[in-house]
Amino acid sequence: MIRLLKIVLLALVLLRVGFDLKTYFFGSTIAVPAASDRGFDYLLHFPQGYHDWSGPRPLLIFLHGSGEAGRNVRILKKHAPFRFANGNVPTEDFPFIVVSPRTPDRHWNPDDVMAFLDQLLKDEQVRYRIDPSRIYLTGISMGGYGTFHVAQRYPDRFAAIVPLAGGFPPKYADSLRSVPCLAFHGGEDDVVPPEESAQIIQAMKKVGNLDAKLTILPGAGHGIAEEVYSRPELYRWLLEHRITSERRKEH
């Protein structure tokens, strides 16, 4: 009887991950179709050593740039943080489930991104044990702008943000006053001027955000994803932050 029970439990585990043992024990990336006509196809990446009974995991959402807009979601494997973290970041510093949605548009609509996140949590929180207090947002170029924009509209939903090669109008800084932000920009970026990041970060500091920082990468151009996402200290910084009840009360 005990042996039969073990077999049944194992079968249930396998069914929950589509018979993909790599998902649970070695890390893997799978493509997931959109849940609705307005939804996003996305890549779902599990960290090394992941299994859903190990406790709630932090979630990192990656917003791609305009060059990746479309429907071939698998191309995002080349651009998402987990690719550059692999081999450069110790396993213990990268416990994140990473979700990389793909938009067919040339911009990120904050309401669509939040509807996507809410649907993801509704569908997957029990299955994948996402920790709602440790949800982080990052993106590059168009995704850098999108990271600022989504966080500005929904500042109580993200524990911290990391925009790369982006920017946002300084007049909206007050909405970001309590959002920890670590921005990066190439010093020689000829696509999006570094001033775009500098102006919003300066404005965030002026309204009292003590955890808004900008790192200018000397000599770097627009394509800074590899240099930034290969840094172990970036992920350690993210994991220092959680969404608190006090932050939610502020908004």
Side-chain angles (χ1 to χ4, degrees), residues 173-181 200-213 250:
D174 190 60
S175 299
L176 293 161
R177 67 187 182 279
S178 64
V179 181
C181 176
I200 181 61
I201 293 298
Q202 184 178 15
M204 289 167 67
K205 289 180 178 180
K206 283 184 177 180
V207 296
N209 191 329
L210 302 179
D211 208 356
K213 304 172 184 176
E250 291 181 20

Side-chain angles (χ1 to χ4, degrees), residues 71-115:
R71 285 294 180 186
N72 181 14
V73 71
R74 293 186 183 276
I75 196 174
L76 297 182
K77 282 187 177 182
K78 299 178 181 180
H79 304 276
F82 58 79
R83 178 200 173 193
F84 304 111
N86 185 32
N88 296 302
V89 179
T91 301
E92 61 269 21
D93 290 333
F94 201 88
F96 307 90
I97 295 173
V98 184
V99 169
S100 307
R102 191 163 197 214
T103 178
D105 303 319
R106 295 287 178 172
H107 69 283
W108 287 101
N109 183 301
D111 295 335
D112 290 344
V113 173
M114 195 52 53

Side-chain angles (χ1 to χ4, degrees), residues 169-235:
K171 65 180 181 180
Y172 296 109
D174 190 60
S175 299
L176 293 161
R177 67 187 182 279
S178 64
V179 181
C181 176
L182 188 58
F184 292 85
H185 217 116
E188 304 300 324
D189 191 334
D190 59 359
V191 177
V192 179
E195 290 76 23
E196 294 280 331
S197 287
Q199 289 172 2
I200 181 61
I201 293 298
Q202 184 178 15
M204 289 167 67
K205 289 180 178 180
K206 283 184 177 180
V207 296
N209 191 329
L210 302 179
D211 208 356
K213 304 172 184 176
L214 172 62
T215 298
I216 298 292
L217 304 175
H222 191 60
I224 59 173
E226 181 172 5
E227 183 170 353
V228 174
Y229 291 138
S230 298
R231 299 181 171 202
E233 62 270 22
L234 167 64
Y235 305 105

Side-chain angles (χ1 to χ4, degrees), residues 42 59 99 116-125 130:
Y42 62 97
L59 174 67
V99 169
F116 168 76
L117 173 58
D118 287 340
Q119 186 65 44
L120 181 73
L121 292 174
K122 178 181 177 182
D123 290 347
E124 311 295 0
Q125 189 168 19
I130 294 169

